[in-house]
Amino acid sequence: MSLLSHKKLISIVVPIHNEEEGIVDFLSNKLLPAVNNIDSYKNEIILVDDGSTDNTLAKITTLADDNKEIKILALSRNFGKEAALSAGLQYAKGDAVITIDADGQQPPELIPKFIKKWEEGADIVTGVRDHYTKHGFIQKLGSKLFYKLLRKMGNKYTVPGSTDFRLISRLVVDEFNNLPEHNRITRGLIDWLGFNQEYIEYTYGVRMAGRPSYNMKKLTRLALDSFVSMSNTPLMFLGWLGAIITLLSGILGLFIIIQQYILGDPLGLYWNGAVQMTVFITFLIGIVLISQAITAQYISHIHADTQDRPLYIINKKNSKNLK
Ligand code: UDP
Ligand code: MG
């Protein structure tokens, strides 16, 4: 037997959506050189084209024509990054699979470090961004709050700053592929799986080119889309209404308490008990509306899981070099 056949396989999975500006630069000048450096392994690069509507697919197809290690898994439309990652993980054959963004924000130079941790026995190696150095104050606060809330709400598994730049061993990939749920956040699920986790801190870079896909326009379109297609949207609308009602009546309530009872009515308004009761009841109605919207959210997730629709659809015509 040749020495080659003993080499283990590393799969690199890259979710890509509308990255025509930077994708060739990223692959040719960053990812491929980094991957070619790890010569003790065979490798495959799975580019998951998540329904790009620009020239991305044509550009990566040209690359794959010249390089058989590059495989293209083309989804039939935009399913979102989570589904794209799931598709890539399903198709990856490697003994270890590394997932990395296509925009250069996650440095491929660190890949050997991830592999080293895996060689030392880690089943999952997660890239953690030192986000406190890069982001503005609001974002810092936002992400701190996000993780606090996540923990409070029962997810004890996710380390703050965890990203989708990670290595997952075959063992964990197989378990991940067996998970049935549809509303998946890859990160959270992989953390939930457990196993032996290690972390590598890195500096989250700036995008090489193009714009992040999750911009306001896309989010708004998504909201409008779901308004038409999802039956719980009216309830979500009521939820937001509830939030506004609660907020406004809360402020009004505080105003009454401070103005009338603490300061002794300097404005001479004197709002009687009936008014106070009305404000209080309005406040409670807001809370009821919010709770309904949250319940609707759970029900819609249950609904999606009972439908048992596939997570993604492969477009075989556009895919390349897959067996
Ligand atoms: N992406 C994707 N499908 C989408 C949106 C994004 O596959 O619907 C890819 C995108 O091309 C990039 C990665 O997911 O490789 C991260 O996306 P982005 O940079 O927009 O997000 P952020 O860096 O803000 O997390
Ligand atoms: Mg990005």
Side-chain angles (χ1 to χ4, degrees):
M1 247 197 271
S2 80
L3 203 70
L4 258 179
S5 64
H6 289 296
K7 281 192 178 180
K8 285 187 170 175
L9 177 69
I10 305 269
S11 307
I12 316 274
V13 170
V14 193
I16 307 171
H17 176 70
N18 288 356
E19 300 278 3
E20 64 174 355
E21 283 172 55
I23 189 66
V24 175
D25 184 23
F26 171 72
L27 292 172
S28 311
N29 302 328
K30 292 195 80 180
L31 189 63
L32 285 170
V35 171
N36 288 335
N37 258 340
I38 43 175
D39 44 4
S40 39
Y41 295 97
K42 288 185 289 180
N43 54 64
E44 63 172 359
I45 296 177
I46 300 180
L47 305 178
V48 187
D49 176 61
D50 183 16
S52 293
T53 50
D54 59 3
N55 270 322
T56 301
L57 187 61
K59 289 193 169 170
I60 58 179
T61 305
T62 312
L63 282 180
D65 282 334
D66 304 334
N67 187 341
K68 292 293 172 243
E69 281 162 9
I70 296 183
K71 304 174 177 184
I72 297 175
L73 190 61
L75 306 190
S76 60
R77 63 167 170 85
N78 182 231
F79 281 89
K81 182 182 171 185
E82 303 303 328
L85 279 177
S86 291
L89 286 172
Q90 200 89 48
Y91 272 77
K93 304 215 169 54
D95 298 285
V97 182
I98 295 170
T99 56
I100 184 167
D101 283 356
D103 57 9
Q105 291 188 285
Q106 304 169 342
E109 309 86 82
L110 291 182
I111 287 176
K113 269 197 175 178
F114 281 71
I115 295 177
K116 185 142 186 298
K117 293 249 187 214
W118 169 59
E119 288 168 340
E120 289 166 1
D123 295 308
I124 302 172
V125 186
T126 302
V128 179
R129 58 168 152 184
D130 52 356
H131 54 310
Y132 298 117
T133 57
K134 275 278 164 191
H135 281 198
F137 175 72
I138 299 288
Q139 273 168 311
K140 246 197 278 195
L141 201 74
S143 94
K144 262 193 176 156
L145 269 174
F146 171 76
Y147 285 108
K148 269 233 166 78
L149 267 174
L150 208 65
R151 271 166 188 273
K152 280 264 147 60
M153 286 159 78
N155 182 340
K156 297 180 215 65
Y157 316 102
T158 302
V159 166
S162 292
T163 61
D164 285 323
F165 186 17
R166 62 198 330 172
L167 177 148
I168 313 158
S169 72
R170 171 50 42 193
L171 184 71
V172 181
V173 173
D174 286 342
E175 293 301 337
F176 180 79
N177 290 341
N178 281 334
L179 293 175
E181 59 248 80
H182 288 111
N183 288 291
R184 28 174 85 187
I185 299 296
T186 317
R187 248 174 276 184
L189 277 177
I190 291 175
D191 290 332
W192 173 87
L193 280 171
F195 292 97
N196 183 6
Q197 290 222 35
E198 285 286 340
Y199 300 91
I200 288 179
E201 197 166 285
Y202 71 98
T203 304
Y204 203 65
V206 285
R207 255 184 173 270
M208 294 171 70
R211 264 179 276 143
S213 302
Y214 296 100
N215 56 19
M216 270 319 272
K217 197 172 141 209
K218 191 164 174 184
L219 287 175
T220 315
R221 205 175 59 209
L222 204 71
L224 283 176
D225 268 2
S226 35
F227 190 82
V228 186
S229 64
M230 300 277 288
S231 53
N232 74 332
T233 307
L235 268 174
M236 282 312 289
F237 173 74
L238 289 180
W240 283 111
L241 193 67
I244 293 168
I245 290 175
T246 302
L247 191 73
L248 292 183
S249 49
I251 291 171
L252 195 56
L254 271 179
F255 172 76
I256 295 175
I257 291 171
I258 294 170
Q259 202 279 138
Q260 193 156 317
Y261 294 104
I262 297 181
L263 302 180
D265 201 11
L267 300 179
L269 296 172
Y270 186 71
W271 283 350
N272 63 25
V275 174
Q276 294 171 24
M277 187 63 86
T278 308
V279 171
F280 184 58
I281 288 174
T282 313
F283 181 77
L284 290 183
I285 288 174
I287 288 178
V288 170
L289 287 177
I290 296 170
S291 328
Q292 283 207 344
I294 293 171
T295 314
Q297 201 59 21
Y298 281 103
I299 293 174
S300 87
H301 282 208
I302 295 169
H303 175 63
D305 273 352
T306 39
Q307 279 178 322
D308 211 28
R309 208 186 277 154
L311 259 185
Y312 53 83
I313 306 292
I314 302 293
N315 182 339
K316 295 213 174 74
K317 192 179 67 202
N318 289 343
S319 300
K320 256 191 114 68
N321 297 346
L322 297 170
K323 273 197 288 292

